[in-house]
Amino acid sequence: MSDEQEEYIAVLKASYDYVPQSEDEIEIKEDQLLLLVEKTDDDWWKVKPMGVSDIQGGLVPSAYVESVSACWTTATWTRRGMRAK
């Protein structure tokens, strides 16, 4: 198993299910944990499902997600778990 690191801005939780409307969007399910990769603009954020290395991620409406905890934002997610920066 590789120990690849994934950089991200914050850990989010999906507040609602979202079904993608275009190819650059990603499906999310309520209560799913996500890594915020980029705040594309105020309405759309690029996320990646937490702990899933084979999915590239995609855009979701920012209104469909909420921050989990400020303490998670200073860590790096690896395939083996969380590691502090």
Side-chain angles (χ1 to χ4, degrees):
M1 182 184 316
S2 173
D3 191 28
E4 297 173 13
Q5 294 184 1
E6 173 103 298
E7 296 293 327
Y8 62 93
I9 299 168
V11 176
L12 306 173
K13 182 177 80 166
S15 300
Y16 314 97
D17 290 351
Y18 178 72
V19 178
Q21 306 297 308
S22 67
E23 289 183 18
D24 59 346
E25 298 173 9
I26 187 172
E27 180 177 13
I28 58 174
K29 298 290 185 182
E30 184 177 357
D31 294 326
Q32 181 179 12
L33 292 177
L34 307 160
L35 300 176
L36 175 58
V37 178
E38 178 184 354
K39 289 185 176 182
T40 310
D41 60 37
D42 289 340
D43 297 324
W44 292 93
W45 293 352
K46 184 173 182 179
V47 301
K48 182 175 178 180
M50 190 172 193
V52 182
S53 61
D54 61 339
I55 295 179
Q56 293 297 317
L59 299 174
V60 296
S62 59
Y64 279 63
V65 295
E66 61 186 277
S67 180
V68 171
S69 172
C71 69
W72 286 63
T73 62
T74 60
T76 300
W77 178 258
T78 69
R79 295 180 92 187
R80 294 183 185 171
M82 298 297 293
R83 178 178 21 209
K85 284 186 176 179

